[in-house]
Amino acid sequence: MKLSKLIEACDVIALRGNGEVEVTSITSDSRTVTPGSLFIAVEGIFTDGHAYIGKAIEQGAVAVVYDKPMIEEYFSRVTYVQVKQSAISLSQIASAWYGHPSSLLKLVGVTGTNGKTTIATLLYDAFRHLGYPSGLLSTVANYVDGERYPTTHTTLDPVTLNDFLRKMVDAGCEYAFMEVSSHAVHQKRVHGLRFAGAVFTNLTQDHLDYHKNMLEYRNVKKSFFDDLPVDAFALTNIDDKNGPVMLQNTKAAQYTYSVRGMADFKARIFEKHFDGTDIEINGKELTVQFVGTFNVYNLLAVYGAGILLGLDEEELLRTLSLLKPVAGRFQTLRSPQGYTVIVDYAHTPDALSNVLSAIDGVLNRKGRIITVVGCGGNRDKTKRPIMAREAVQLSDKAVFTSDNPRFEEPGEILQDMLDGLTEEQKGNTLTIADRREAIKTACALAQPGDVILIAGKGHEDYQEIKGVKHHFDDKEEVEKIFNKLKTKSEKIE
Ligand SMILES: CC(=O)N[C@H]1[C@@H](OP(=O)(O)OP(=O)(O)OC[C@H]2O[C@@H](n3ccc(=O)[nH]c3=O)[C@H](O)[C@@H]2O)O[C@H](CO)[C@@H](O)[C@@H]1O[C@H](C)C(=O)N[C@@H](C)C(=O)N[C@H](CCC(=O)O)C(=O)O
Ligand SMILES: Nc1ncnc2c1ncn2[C@@H]1O[C@H](COP(=O)(O)OP(=O)(O)OP(=O)(O)O)[C@@H](O)[C@H]1O
Ligand SMILES: N[C@H](CCC[C@H](N)C(=O)O)C(=O)O
Ligand SMILES: [Mg+2]
């Protein structure tokens, strides 16, 4: 593709060289430059892409896009394009390279601290169930109408992201559902995508390692809504105090959902049980296979977005009652000895307290709650003592363990958690850094009727320690324990 076509939408300050040069690939990583590449230099968190311009040219880049006037030596075989903001240009160029796939799909972005994967996945499941070819970009995996691809991020980098959207268009998808993380909005990964709609779930503490404070975190989310086009919909959870803020400056058509009061899409909860919940959505009763008030919010968001995308109300409600929980979200396993294990991805204070309240709501004090939980390394440290407190206050017994330690010492993360407890609470808490041992201990402590919550890692099938991902799957560990218990009881029989 010609460079001039690729940079059509970019805010170009200066161009030096041949604007009509033919580009054979685009990349923002010098390590993937090949002869004919366009290299886009972006300032990052750890390093600055501008430092690799020389290397990119050495490897055969024919053009360079940059935003800092720091080029020391110009080569006549290279075209230099100075833009206002490289990160934005990168997204615009990626969209152009793949033929603006987002404008050929009905693309819905879901943002908020918790519930993104659940809502995006359930939208994808619902639309496919109703016969519409669709795609999904999520924390768990990416799907191009049923074909699964592994993922690296909640929201991919602009090049990979547009590549997936193109694959969806080529596969005949009409709809695409994606998670939009605050990191992605801040780094302009979704800039230049054409959204048909956006959903806001909630805003509670997370990522204060990255965003300076909650206000900045909120404003980043809000900017996603500010940038929506006029023909899109903006659907927000009006029960969250930041829900209305998302609508303040958006040009999109505004809609709300609520479980507490008046809204365009409303739900009421009648009866909660372990396998599901009896609810009402906009006056129609149904039973869903999900537990917890937070999941009623998720389903209501799915319903609202489905209606706004033109689905039939009756068909959609029928589909909602058939939908099943998403991998690693409130996944229930029953032990041969009569206790229950729930594997869940709660890794924020709000998610943890929601999931524990949901368990308490259905357990009705007929058994004890044992919680196994840890906190991720190289992530928001300030959420650790709060998560620890939530776990202890809402369970009968807590076992603190490791999540993904990444580059931190597990003992130090555990200490940050323990710092949130009183001496008395500490006395009633077990600390077992080895996650496998922690799960074994919780299972050994459980009595028939008890519930063990294993929180934080959900679908993850690895544990990340010092840059290496070791295979580890909470569900697999539990199944191993259950199988041992089964063999033992068979031997006794
Ligand atoms: C902190 C963060 O978000 N970092 C993301 C960011 O990388 P960065 O800014 O750190 O990049 P950098 O290493 O400083 O490099 C700067 C530039 O130099 C280039 N470079 C670098 C080295 C070199 O030899 N040559 C070269 O050209 C790089 O390609 C890059 O363009 O941009 C990269 C490309 O988009 C991302 O892969 C990377 O995600 C890292 C791996 C990450 O862990 N991100 C997490 C925190 C994240 O984004 N999480 C959210 C979900 C959060 C949630 O929902 O809970 C997500 O959307 O996944
Ligand atoms: N609407 C909600 N409100 C509060 N907590 C929720 C909600 N939905 C899910 N959760 C809790 O948060 C956990 C993560 O849910 P989900 O994966 O859907 O969120 P996410 O926003 O995609 O998270 P991530 O930021 O890691 O991508 C769940 O396992 C559950 O414990
Ligand atoms: N998207 C989140 C996932 C956290 C999952 C948890 N298991 C952890 O490692 O902290 C993040 O990258 O912050
Ligand atoms: Mg997610």
Side-chain angles (χ1 to χ4, degrees):
M1 196 181 281
K2 286 214 179 341
L3 176 65
S4 59
K5 185 110 190 100
L6 282 170
I7 57 169
E8 238 168 26
C10 300
D11 216 335
V12 177
I13 294 172
L15 189 143
R16 183 183 173 129
N18 177 13
E20 296 309 306
V21 63
E22 198 63 39
V23 168
T24 55
S25 71
I26 58 167
T27 180
S28 58
D29 188 341
S30 61
R31 291 162 290 197
T32 61
V33 166
T34 50
S37 288
L38 161 62
F39 176 66
I40 302 110
V42 182
E43 182 183 349
I45 314 288
F46 297 109
T47 177
D48 190 340
H50 290 78
Y52 301 94
I53 292 178
K55 185 152 173 275
I57 294 172
E58 239 173 73
Q59 283 179 218
V62 291
V64 174
V65 166
Y66 62 101
D67 61 13
K68 288 186 188 159
M70 54 186 271
I71 312 277
E72 285 164 8
E73 192 184 358
Y74 289 97
F75 295 90
S76 57
R77 64 175 190 282
V78 178
T79 308
Y80 297 84
V81 187
Q82 189 186 346
V83 293
K84 202 162 162 213
Q85 202 177 337
S86 295
I88 291 183
S89 295
L90 171 63
S91 285
Q92 291 164 331
I93 290 168
S95 177
W97 178 258
Y98 290 100
H100 302 293
S102 62
S103 61
L104 305 171
L105 294 157
K106 290 194 187 86
L107 174 66
V108 176
V110 185
T111 198
T113 309
N114 291 305
K116 299 183 293 299
T117 301
T118 307
I119 294 170
T121 308
L122 296 183
L123 276 166
Y124 165 79
D125 288 343
F127 274 75
R128 287 196 74 232
H129 176 82
L130 290 168
Y132 299 98
S134 306
L136 170 69
L137 302 175
S138 84
T139 312
V140 178
N142 302 313
Y143 286 88
V144 176
D145 200 28
E147 192 155 337
R148 185 186 165 111
Y149 297 82
T151 194
T152 51
H153 285 76
T154 288
T155 311
L156 296 162
D157 68 89
V159 179
T160 321
L161 175 47
N162 279 280
D163 186 8
F164 267 113
L165 295 176
R166 182 73 236 175
K167 284 193 177 81
M168 290 177 196
V169 172
D170 292 345
C173 293
E174 285 176 57
Y175 296 92
F177 304 101
M178 68 177 286
E179 294 184 47
V180 177
S181 68
S182 57
H183 294 77
V185 177
H186 188 243
Q187 291 166 26
K188 314 288 178 200
R189 295 181 210 159
V190 293
H191 195 95
L193 295 185
R194 180 145 192 101
F195 284 95
V199 179
F200 172 76
T201 63
N202 45 62
L203 194 94
T204 55
Q205 183 181 332
D206 202 9
H207 305 311
L208 293 184
D209 52 323
Y210 184 85
H211 303 293
K212 276 200 270 332
N213 49 47
M214 285 300 287
L215 190 66
E216 189 202 282
Y217 179 32
R218 181 192 78 182
N219 288 340
V220 167
K221 296 271 183 208
K222 178 178 174 288
S223 72
F224 173 53
F225 283 82
D226 294 350
D227 290 345
L228 289 173
V230 67
D231 57 355
F233 67 79
L235 174 61
T236 197
N237 172 6
I238 205 78
D239 294 348
D240 186 284
K241 79 170 190 297
N242 288 301
V245 177
M246 299 299 135
L247 304 182
Q248 268 168 10
N249 300 93
T250 188
K251 297 179 280 305
Q254 306 184 2
Y255 297 91
T256 55
Y257 62 96
S258 167
V259 174
R260 292 201 211 121
M262 289 306 291
D264 298 299
F265 304 103
K266 305 185 280 289
R268 280 171 57 195
I269 301 170
F270 297 127
E271 185 82 33
K272 297 175 176 178
H273 27 102
F274 245 116
D275 305 310
T277 313
D278 301 330
I279 61 170
E280 182 188 89
I281 293 187
N282 277 12
K284 307 267 169 45
E285 287 179 25
L286 69 154
T287 298
V288 292
Q289 300 174 44
F290 292 82
V291 181
T293 305
F294 64 93
N295 269 322
V296 177
Y297 277 97
N298 293 340
L299 286 159
L300 195 53
V302 172
Y303 176 80
I307 294 293
L308 294 170
L309 289 168
L311 292 183
D312 174 75
E313 190 186 87
E314 293 293 328
E315 273 188 351
L316 180 53
L317 288 171
R318 237 188 335 272
T319 307
L320 290 188
S321 67
L322 299 173
L323 294 176
K324 301 229 181 310
V326 176
R329 275 78 184 151
F330 215 93
Q331 274 195 304
T332 308
L333 299 109
R334 306 234 188 249
S335 87
Q337 297 190 320
Y339 62 86
T340 303
V341 175
I342 293 170
V343 171
D344 188 82
Y345 196 45
H347 55 267
T348 68
D350 187 55
L352 195 59
S353 77
N354 273 310
V355 92
L356 282 166
S357 307
I359 295 173
D360 188 48
V362 284
L363 190 60
N364 242 334
R365 310 308 302 157
K366 290 198 185 99
R368 295 176 311 156
I369 304 176
I370 303 169
T371 299
V372 179
V373 66
C375 293
N378 300 98
R379 294 288 187 269
D380 189 351
K381 281 185 196 227
T382 60
K383 71 179 177 182
R384 294 174 187 167
I386 313 174
M387 283 175 70
R389 223 164 19 241
E390 300 282 6
V392 168
Q393 281 168 357
L394 300 169
S395 340
D396 298 283
K397 186 91 196 164
V399 184
F400 291 173
T401 189
S402 301
D403 190 292
N404 292 310
R406 299 194 177 85
F407 292 96
E408 286 194 61
E409 283 310 317
E412 285 171 21
I413 301 175
L414 286 165
Q415 191 53 53
D416 286 343
M417 292 178 75
L418 288 169
D419 286 346
L421 305 188
T422 62
E423 288 309 314
E424 196 191 334
Q425 287 171 327
K426 279 183 203 163
N428 189 34
T429 302
L430 293 174
T431 305
I432 306 172
D434 183 325
R435 196 168 176 95
R436 182 168 290 123
E437 288 306 317
I439 294 174
K440 273 191 199 157
T441 304
C443 289
L445 289 172
Q447 301 287 323
D450 289 351
V451 174
I452 300 174
L453 169 69
I454 305 179
K457 292 183 61 61
H459 64 281
E460 291 177 353
D461 60 0
Y462 59 83
Q463 201 172 20
E464 194 180 330
I465 306 168
K466 302 224 183 323
V468 181
K469 285 186 173 174
H470 303 268
H471 179 81
F472 193 94
D473 184 324
D474 286 348
K475 263 178 65 191
E476 230 173 75
E477 293 303 320
V478 172
E479 270 151 10
K480 271 195 251 166
I481 296 170
F482 286 2
N483 285 337
K484 266 201 194 137
L485 290 174
K486 257 192 232 149
T487 337
K488 241 194 215 166
S489 68
E490 274 161 14
K491 272 190 192 150
I492 294 167
E493 277 164 22

